[in-house]
Amino acid sequence: MNRISRRALAITTGVVAISTLAAAPAQAKTISGGSCGAGYYQQDAYPLGDHAGATGAGVMFLYYNKSTGKNCAILRRDSRFNITDGMGISITSSDGKSDIDGQGGYTQYAGPVYVSAPGKCIKLWGEVTGYWNGSTGLPGTHSETTGWVHCG
């Protein structure tokens, strides 16, 4: 390889490396808690299940804002799942504080719900009732309770 080719390779490699590094912060911002407000970043995601253990009808997302110490949660339905009887989500801290956005006429997402729980654990609950696209059966309920998570 001649000197010009090596230099071109080095410049190209450097540009790719810088581009990759520059893209990382932008990508991190895209998972911030837009529905929760500025400063919230995703901590976890929990898929909903049904009585048979199937998952996928919806997902609860847990966000945290380090500067305020607040937790936030939202529930989004799967686009292939049609809501018939609403959806809801709640967040509870181990000291008893809670917030709920209940079974209203929601068809896309429920929440956001917030709780401040410094030094405490939190628990999420979410539920959707409906049917899968193309299903001919009766509507089913998919729900999940996390148990105590993200303690501290």
Side-chain angles (χ1 to χ4, degrees):
M1 210 192 284
N2 65 32
R3 188 194 299 185
I4 294 173
S5 295
R6 276 187 253 171
R7 186 163 195 206
L9 178 61
I11 290 170
T12 302
T13 303
V15 168
V16 169
I18 290 170
S19 297
T20 302
L21 289 174
Q27 185 178 12
K29 281 191 155 201
T30 63
I31 63 164
S32 68
S35 296
C36 294
Y40 284 88
Y41 290 90
Q42 186 177 334
Q43 299 299 301
D44 232 323
Y46 304 94
L48 302 184
D50 68 6
H51 67 283
T55 60
V59 178
M60 296 181 293
F61 292 93
L62 175 62
Y63 297 89
Y64 181 72
N65 184 317
K66 187 176 180 178
S67 65
T68 65
K70 285 188 176 181
N71 298 280
C72 172
I74 61 170
L75 170 60
R76 293 197 187 280
R77 74 164 174 95
D78 184 288
S79 62
R80 300 165 296 151
F81 193 79
N82 297 302
I83 304 298
T84 58
D85 293 327
M87 52 195 302
I89 188 165
S90 72
I91 187 169
T92 303
S93 69
S94 57
D95 65 357
K97 298 177 194 169
S98 66
D99 189 13
I100 187 167
D101 192 9
Q103 294 284 333
Y106 302 130
T107 60
Q108 301 297 318
Y109 74 92
V113 290
Y114 300 90
V115 70
S116 181
K120 308 292 182 217
C121 301
I122 57 167
K123 184 187 295 186
L124 301 179
W125 166 87
E127 181 174 277
V128 298
T129 302
Y131 60 93
W132 293 101
N133 291 349
S135 173
T136 58
L138 296 172
T141 298
H142 296 248
S143 65
E144 193 66 45
T145 302
T146 63
W148 298 111
V149 296
H150 292 276
C151 301

